[in-house]
Structures are given as structure tokens and as C-alpha cells.
Amino acid sequence: MWEPSRHFVTWTYPDNWSTLPRAEKEEDTRDIAIALGQHLAFTAATWHEILTWHGYRGIGVWPEFQSAFSWEDNYSNLLGCHVAGAALSNPDLEYSEAVTQEIRALVDSLGG
């Protein structure tokens, strides 16, 4: 599916970047990439809902108005970004295992 939204990111290195140890640079870069990915994914999902609410047809001839801004869309998109970010922050597990662990922890925290 193609959508007309564009997102631009400008990266500015901190003043002390050249003096940081390599391991700290790698950790900082990973953390920033994960946070930026979460932000962009949620923003893109929200704009998708806005566009389809106003009649945009990303699939071609089929309108998506009926599903635009379903009551759970924004919450589930945000939850997915949260779970993905937490899973990506766990270098000890494969991604699918980390996602499963995060979802289980969330369900358990809700008393499930």
C-alpha cells in the first residue's frame, strides 16, 4: 500500500560524540533508533487513520472509511509500538521470543 505521507528526520550528534566509547555509541544509537522507530510507526499509523477517514484509498478502488478510526486502532497501534520497542531492547532473545515475553508480562500485569 502506498500513502502520500512523508516523514523527515534530522540527526545531530551530541557535542561529546567523538569522545564516547564505541560501546556507548552503539547502545545510544540502538536506543535512539528504537525510540524513533516507535514514534514514526505510531505517527504513520495515526496518519493512515486520518487519511482513510477523509476518503484516501491506499488499496486503489476500495475505500477504507468504514475501518478508519475504529475505537481500538490508536490504542492497539500504540501498544504494538510499546511491545516492539521493549522486544527490540532485549538483545538476549530473538525478536519473536522477546515479543511473546513482553505480551505475557503485560497480560500478567493486568491480572490475566
Side-chain angles (χ1 to χ4, degrees):
M1 177 187 315
W2 179 86
E3 289 190 3
S5 301
R6 293 178 187 223
H7 305 273
F8 297 91
V9 176
T10 301
W11 170 263
T12 303
Y13 289 98
D15 293 335
N16 67 336
W17 185 256
S18 62
T19 63
L20 294 176
R22 181 182 178 102
E24 190 173 340
K25 287 180 182 179
E26 289 176 1
E27 183 178 347
D28 289 348
T29 301
R30 186 190 69 241
D31 292 345
I32 290 167
I34 291 169
L36 182 60
Q38 289 173 295
H39 174 77
L40 291 174
F42 184 70
T43 300
T46 301
W47 276 106
H48 170 79
E49 300 302 330
I50 292 168
L51 288 170
T52 55
W53 179 261
H54 289 284
Y56 179 74
R57 297 175 181 194
I59 302 175
V61 297
W62 295 283
E64 297 179 56
F65 180 77
Q66 298 297 334
S67 71
F69 279 120
S70 298
W71 68 270
E72 83 292 347
D73 284 345
N74 285 341
Y75 179 77
S76 62
N77 293 342
L78 184 60
L79 182 62
C81 290
H82 173 78
V83 168
L88 289 168
S89 296
N90 186 344
D92 299 328
L93 295 176
E94 292 291 323
Y95 180 73
S96 62
E97 292 175 64
V99 166
T100 300
Q101 180 176 311
E102 288 301 321
I103 291 172
R104 280 189 186 132
L106 281 169
V107 170
D108 290 346
S109 75
L110 295 171

